[in-house]
Amino acid sequence: MDNETNNTNDINNENDINNNNTTPRSGGKPLRLKLGTFSTIMVIFAVAITIVVNMVVENLDLFYDLTPDQFFSISDTSNQILAELPADVTIYTLFRTGQEIAIYQQFLQSYRVFPRVNVVNIDPFVHVDFVARYTQPGQTIPVNSMIVESGDRHRVILPHEMRTTRFDIFTLSEVVETITFESVMTNAIRQVTMGFDNIIYFVTGHDEVPISAAYQQEFADWHFELRDLNITMIDRIPDDASALFITTPMRDWSEMAAQVVQDYLMGGGKAVFFIDFNNVDYPNLRRLVNYFGIDFADNAILESDTNFLVPLQGGQLNPFAIIPLYGEHTITNEFVHSDFRAMLINARPLMQLPVARQNLTIEPILISSPNSYLKDLHNFDPETDTLNREPDDTTGPFVITFAITDRNSSPNSRIVFTGTEAKLNDNFNNGTNSRMVLNMFSWAMDTLPNVWIEATPVNDNNLTFTSAGQLYQIMIISLFVIPGSILVAGTGVWLRRRNK
């Protein structure tokens, strides 16, 4: 009887547990308490695992781009260059602590996964002495710049180099159009890890247009050493010359100076010319240029197509301030498929001679539009003459820059001739002119040209509010309505389960 009673009690106890979940089991603890304790432990365990996984992922620098079109992923070109780096490189970002630019940090994630690339942030307001080590006299390195360094080489990247902008006439402000971060960063890494120093002689002696301090710094950043060379005082170009840098002289060269330069170029030398339109005759300089298969005219190129004009201060269009077209060439590959535009002023047309020496390759680099035209301004009278396009004016397109390779020497001579010195001014186009000039010298000296990497377009996918009321509505819904609804629903579920 006692056994039967015990069995009955056991069955009743089991039914009570299944129905009410309140009857104690072994140890006298309610099942609900056990389940709650178990759930709490599992939550703590899950949180701990999440923390550990995040720490491991962060230490491993794992990165996966989930954005549409792989916005933050770098190209195959960059991946190959970074995988084959011959030396370690450090990228110093100059962000204020707590004010880092998120979009650049995301791009840098794709660089820091490579073992030879290290990324370090240096707050320029805290580490003033660090930034001063890389600052040239008379120059400043603004916040949000970057410094790429390898060994004793470094390259400073300024904020405006990492993006292109346009002026929005509706908001009256600059709007970012494309991100050029990858192109600038990858090329900077190449320069400091694989480049080599070159001595470029700036030709003087005939009142040449000087090089601005900003351009001198650009050359220094690319590890091109600039030295002055008075060609009226020498009988040969120094043997350590990597190239000659020639700007517009205010008077013609002497026969001897022209012969010194010609002898250097005939022996495999390199040179880049920038000869502006002016009222000076250059018979000796012209003979030198003719020897390499081209000639320059004494007319000015003007532009009638507003799509190829650069708005100057006040929005006015100057027919002398033109945007050229690009020829397909190593020098221009970086710009052909991008929004980068050169800007030229007071350009003169160049012509290829119908009869030239053999083994000359002459390639057009910069070309004016088909709607450009020529004006002879030597005897221009503003009272009777006009700058407007007239029926008798010779129309374009006109070549403004040639790249010339002379294969009659070993090594081959390489010359770039531009019919304007306006490319030595970057005030109008966010550095496109200087970048192209540096490409000209890189090609002439057969060093490392910039690799072309397409800029990343910025799509404006931001949510736009047309009134303050809409903003307040979204804020109230996000901060109060949605969390409140979840809280009420959760409380209802909890009460219902409690009363069962």
Side-chain angles (χ1 to χ4, degrees):
M1 184 70 179
D2 290 339
N3 291 335
E4 183 178 350
T5 302
N6 290 336
N7 291 335
T8 303
N9 289 337
D10 289 340
I11 294 173
N12 291 334
N13 288 340
E14 185 174 348
N15 290 334
D16 288 341
I17 290 174
N18 291 334
N19 294 330
N20 300 320
N21 290 328
T22 58
T23 303
R25 288 199 178 192
S26 60
K29 292 183 180 180
L31 180 59
R32 180 182 297 169
L33 180 60
K34 285 188 174 184
L35 292 175
T37 303
F38 178 76
S39 299
T40 302
I41 293 173
M42 291 303 297
V43 169
I44 295 174
F45 185 66
V47 172
I49 290 178
T50 302
I51 294 174
V52 172
V53 169
N54 275 278
M55 293 175 62
V56 171
V57 170
E58 183 175 356
N59 290 331
L60 292 177
D61 276 335
L62 297 178
F63 169 75
Y64 189 75
D65 188 357
L66 297 176
T67 58
D69 301 324
Q70 299 292 287
F71 184 87
F72 295 109
S73 299
I74 59 177
S75 64
D76 292 340
T77 300
S78 290
N79 279 309
Q80 181 178 354
I81 291 171
L82 296 171
E84 300 173 354
L85 286 179
D88 293 339
V89 61
T90 301
I91 302 172
Y92 296 103
T93 58
L94 303 184
F95 298 139
R96 292 291 307 272
T97 302
Q99 300 179 17
E100 296 84 357
I101 299 179
I103 191 170
Y104 294 151
Q105 287 186 308
Q106 290 292 331
F107 274 110
L108 286 170
Q109 289 287 352
S110 296
Y111 285 81
R112 67 195 315 159
V113 298
F114 291 90
R116 307 210 76 162
V117 179
N118 187 30
V119 180
V120 179
N121 186 58
I122 301 292
D123 190 324
F125 289 85
V126 176
H127 303 280
V128 179
D129 293 341
F130 176 87
V131 179
R133 298 206 309 259
Y134 301 91
T135 306
Q136 299 295 323
Q139 302 293 316
T140 59
I141 300 178
V143 67
N144 298 331
S145 298
M146 297 188 188
I147 301 171
V148 182
E149 184 175 58
S150 180
D152 60 352
R153 299 174 180 275
H154 74 273
R155 165 89 160 85
V156 177
I157 302 176
L158 301 179
H160 74 262
E161 298 181 74
M162 295 181 273
R163 63 182 185 270
T164 63
T165 61
R166 62 177 174 83
F167 184 77
D168 191 324
I169 61 174
F170 298 104
T171 62
L172 300 180
S173 61
E174 292 290 328
V175 177
V176 176
E177 273 196 319
T178 62
I179 301 297
T180 57
F181 180 90
E182 182 189 350
S183 176
V184 175
M185 180 59 67
T186 299
N187 280 297
I189 291 174
R190 292 179 77 234
Q191 292 159 19
V192 299
T193 58
M194 296 183 284
F196 51 91
D197 291 315
N198 295 275
I199 298 175
I200 299 174
Y201 281 101
F202 177 67
V203 171
T204 66
H206 301 88
D207 300 324
E208 282 78 8
V209 174
I211 305 173
S212 68
Y215 252 68
Q216 293 183 39
Q217 181 58 45
E218 289 273 5
F219 275 77
D221 287 343
W222 280 48
H223 301 283
F224 293 163
E225 181 181 349
L226 284 177
R227 298 180 185 177
D228 287 347
L229 180 66
N230 189 332
I231 58 172
T232 65
M233 308 290 292
I234 60 173
D235 57 5
R236 68 192 304 268
I237 302 298
D239 293 335
D240 60 357
S242 299
L244 300 182
F245 191 161
I246 301 166
T247 60
T248 306
M250 294 298 100
R251 51 193 174 89
D252 189 26
W253 286 0
S254 66
E255 289 187 18
M256 177 172 235
Q259 189 61 50
V260 167
V261 173
Q262 182 171 327
D263 290 343
Y264 164 73
L265 294 176
M266 290 172 60
K270 327 292 183 183
V272 180
F273 291 76
F274 300 94
I275 306 300
D276 218 355
F277 167 80
N278 53 33
N279 289 322
V280 179
D281 291 328
Y282 299 111
N284 293 324
L285 180 58
R286 187 185 298 273
R287 277 194 292 273
L288 166 65
V289 174
N290 291 165
Y291 183 78
F292 292 97
I294 65 171
D295 196 5
F296 52 88
D298 292 324
N299 297 323
I301 301 176
L302 286 77
E303 181 60 68
S304 61
D305 189 337
T306 56
N307 293 318
F308 294 92
L309 289 174
V310 179
L312 302 180
Q313 291 183 353
Q316 296 181 347
L317 297 176
N318 183 343
F320 291 94
I322 66 176
I323 298 173
L325 298 166
Y326 298 134
E328 293 281 351
H329 194 274
T330 303
I331 294 172
T332 56
N333 282 346
E334 182 183 359
F335 312 100
V336 169
H337 304 288
S338 73
D339 292 328
F340 288 109
R341 292 292 176 264
M343 187 273 198
L344 310 178
I345 297 179
N346 295 337
R348 67 166 82 219
L350 307 181
M351 296 82 67
Q352 185 171 343
L353 297 178
V355 179
R357 294 183 297 117
Q358 292 183 343
N359 299 321
L360 288 178
T361 301
I362 302 173
E363 302 167 283
I365 302 300
L366 299 177
I367 308 160
S368 67
S369 84
N371 293 314
S372 59
Y373 56 99
L374 297 182
K375 286 288 184 181
D376 184 355
L377 303 180
H378 287 90
N379 300 307
F380 183 80
D381 186 347
E383 295 185 0
T384 59
D385 298 328
T386 179
L387 294 177
N388 295 329
R389 181 174 174 177
E390 297 177 299
D392 294 337
D393 291 333
T394 303
T395 58
F398 306 104
V399 176
I400 303 172
T401 302
F402 276 122
I404 306 165
T405 303
D406 186 351
R407 293 182 172 80
N408 291 295
S409 60
S410 182
N412 297 334
S413 300
R414 286 188 172 186
I415 302 165
V416 180
F417 196 100
T418 296
T420 174
E421 66 193 24
K423 288 191 64 58
L424 306 181
N425 189 333
D426 263 333
N427 294 335
F428 314 98
N429 58 0
N430 289 333
T432 303
N433 279 1
S434 62
R435 290 175 67 176
M436 188 172 295
V437 169
L438 291 165
N439 280 0
M440 289 178 177
F441 278 96
S442 293
W443 175 81
M445 296 182 294
D446 198 18
T447 62
L448 291 169
N450 273 3
V451 293
W452 176 77
I453 299 173
E454 186 173 5
T456 306
V458 176
N459 296 319
D460 186 9
N461 294 324
N462 297 326
L463 183 62
T464 302
F465 301 101
T466 58
S467 67
Q470 286 184 333
L471 180 60
Y472 291 137
Q473 290 174 11
I474 295 295
M475 182 178 67
I476 291 172
I477 292 173
S478 301
L479 297 181
F480 300 104
V481 176
I482 295 177
S485 300
I486 295 174
L487 180 61
V488 170
T491 302
V493 172
W494 176 75
L495 289 173
R496 187 173 67 253
R497 289 183 176 180
R498 181 183 180 186
N499 293 329
K500 282 185 177 180

